[in-house]
Tab-separated table of all heavy atoms in Angstrom:
chain	number	residue	atom	x	y	z
A	62	ILE	N	-13.195	12.331	-3.721
A	62	ILE	CA	-13.346	12.175	-5.165
A	62	ILE	C	-12.033	11.669	-5.750
A	62	ILE	O	-10.974	12.259	-5.531
A	62	ILE	CB	-13.729	13.509	-5.834
A	62	ILE	CG1	-14.948	14.125	-5.146
A	62	ILE	CG2	-13.996	13.293	-7.319
A	62	ILE	CD1	-16.182	13.266	-5.174
A	67	LEU	N	-12.059	3.278	-15.176
A	67	LEU	CA	-13.055	2.535	-15.934
A	67	LEU	C	-14.043	3.467	-16.616
A	67	LEU	O	-14.308	3.345	-17.803
A	67	LEU	CB	-13.790	1.563	-15.018
A	67	LEU	CG	-14.764	0.588	-15.685
A	67	LEU	CD1	-14.031	-0.281	-16.699
A	67	LEU	CD2	-15.440	-0.293	-14.642
A	79	ASP	N	-24.955	0.760	1.920
A	79	ASP	CA	-26.169	0.909	2.717
A	79	ASP	C	-26.754	-0.396	3.210
A	79	ASP	O	-26.973	-0.605	4.383
A	79	ASP	CB	-27.250	1.609	1.880
A	79	ASP	CG	-27.279	3.097	2.181
A	79	ASP	OD1	-26.751	3.490	3.224
A	79	ASP	OD2	-27.817	3.851	1.373
A	172	THR	N	29.902	-14.996	2.509
A	172	THR	CA	29.109	-14.316	1.496
A	172	THR	C	27.828	-13.801	2.087
A	172	THR	O	27.394	-14.195	3.155
A	172	THR	CB	28.775	-15.283	0.339
A	172	THR	OG1	28.022	-16.381	0.863
A	172	THR	CG2	30.031	-15.777	-0.336
A	206	LEU	N	9.385	2.743	4.582
A	206	LEU	CA	8.668	3.865	3.974
A	206	LEU	C	7.430	4.256	4.775
A	206	LEU	O	6.667	5.123	4.344
A	206	LEU	CB	8.260	3.503	2.535
A	206	LEU	CG	9.403	3.275	1.543
A	206	LEU	CD1	8.851	2.898	0.174
A	206	LEU	CD2	10.293	4.513	1.433
A	268	PHE	N	-17.272	-15.543	-24.607
A	268	PHE	CA	-17.685	-14.649	-23.527
A	268	PHE	C	-18.606	-13.553	-24.050
A	268	PHE	O	-19.675	-13.281	-23.485
A	268	PHE	CB	-16.444	-14.053	-22.867
A	268	PHE	CG	-16.703	-12.815	-22.048
A	268	PHE	CD1	-17.511	-12.857	-20.925
A	268	PHE	CD2	-16.130	-11.600	-22.403
A	268	PHE	CE1	-17.741	-11.722	-20.162
A	268	PHE	CE2	-16.348	-10.461	-21.668
A	268	PHE	CZ	-17.164	-10.522	-20.543
A	281	LEU	N	-10.920	-1.033	-19.932
A	281	LEU	CA	-9.620	-0.523	-19.493
A	281	LEU	C	-8.536	-0.655	-20.550
A	281	LEU	O	-7.416	-0.194	-20.341
A	281	LEU	CB	-9.146	-1.210	-18.201
A	281	LEU	CG	-9.955	-0.916	-16.936
A	281	LEU	CD1	-9.403	-1.733	-15.771
A	281	LEU	CD2	-9.931	0.556	-16.598
A	341	TRP	N	-4.779	-21.372	-17.262
A	341	TRP	CA	-4.023	-22.435	-16.592
A	341	TRP	C	-2.905	-22.904	-17.497
A	341	TRP	O	-3.131	-23.214	-18.668
A	341	TRP	CB	-4.923	-23.615	-16.236
A	341	TRP	CG	-4.197	-24.702	-15.503
A	341	TRP	CD1	-3.699	-25.858	-16.033
A	341	TRP	CD2	-3.866	-24.710	-14.118
A	341	TRP	NE1	-3.075	-26.597	-15.054
A	341	TRP	CE2	-3.171	-25.921	-13.849
A	341	TRP	CE3	-4.102	-23.826	-13.061
A	341	TRP	CZ2	-2.693	-26.249	-12.592
A	341	TRP	CZ3	-3.634	-24.158	-11.799
A	341	TRP	CH2	-2.946	-25.355	-11.574
A	361	THR	N	-6.933	-36.404	-10.054
A	361	THR	CA	-5.802	-37.057	-9.424
A	361	THR	C	-4.699	-37.249	-10.453
A	361	THR	O	-4.939	-37.738	-11.558
A	361	THR	CB	-6.200	-38.424	-8.850
A	361	THR	OG1	-7.273	-38.229	-7.935
A	361	THR	CG2	-5.020	-39.069	-8.142
A	571	SER	N	2.147	31.909	37.895
A	571	SER	CA	1.119	31.346	38.766
A	571	SER	C	1.721	30.912	40.090
A	571	SER	O	1.124	31.099	41.162
A	571	SER	CB	0.434	30.169	38.076
A	571	SER	OG	-0.491	29.544	38.937
A	631	THR	N	3.286	24.392	3.504
A	631	THR	CA	4.539	25.138	3.511
A	631	THR	C	4.284	26.619	3.775
A	631	THR	O	5.026	27.267	4.532
A	631	THR	CB	5.281	24.947	2.181
A	631	THR	OG1	5.497	23.552	1.952
A	631	THR	CG2	6.621	25.660	2.201
A	646	HIS	N	11.421	38.726	18.706
A	646	HIS	CA	12.114	39.999	18.461
A	646	HIS	C	11.467	41.113	19.277
A	646	HIS	O	12.170	41.935	19.898
A	646	HIS	CB	12.077	40.330	16.978
A	646	HIS	CG	12.656	41.680	16.648
A	646	HIS	ND1	14.014	41.930	16.641
A	646	HIS	CD2	12.051	42.866	16.339
A	646	HIS	CE1	14.231	43.187	16.319
A	646	HIS	NE2	13.050	43.784	16.129
A	681	PHE	N	3.612	10.843	7.608
A	681	PHE	CA	5.013	11.133	7.914
A	681	PHE	C	5.375	10.520	9.267
A	681	PHE	O	4.528	10.354	10.146
A	681	PHE	CB	5.270	12.641	7.925
A	681	PHE	CG	5.294	13.249	6.553
A	681	PHE	CD1	4.181	13.911	6.058
A	681	PHE	CD2	6.412	13.139	5.748
A	681	PHE	CE1	4.183	14.455	4.788
A	681	PHE	CE2	6.433	13.681	4.473
A	681	PHE	CZ	5.314	14.338	3.986
A	701	SER	N	27.297	-0.181	19.004
A	701	SER	CA	28.298	-0.649	19.961
A	701	SER	C	28.387	0.286	21.163
A	701	SER	O	28.503	-0.154	22.314
A	701	SER	CB	29.662	-0.763	19.277
A	701	SER	OG	30.052	0.486	18.730
A	717	ALA	N	24.895	-2.038	43.059
A	717	ALA	CA	24.220	-1.232	44.077
A	717	ALA	C	23.043	-1.978	44.691
A	717	ALA	O	22.854	-1.977	45.925
A	717	ALA	CB	23.752	0.083	43.465
Side-chain angles (χ1 to χ4, degrees):
I62 308 300
L67 187 59
D79 263 342
T172 60
L206 295 179
F268 162 63
L281 293 177
W341 182 261
T361 303
S571 175
T631 303
H646 175 75
F681 286 100
S701 58

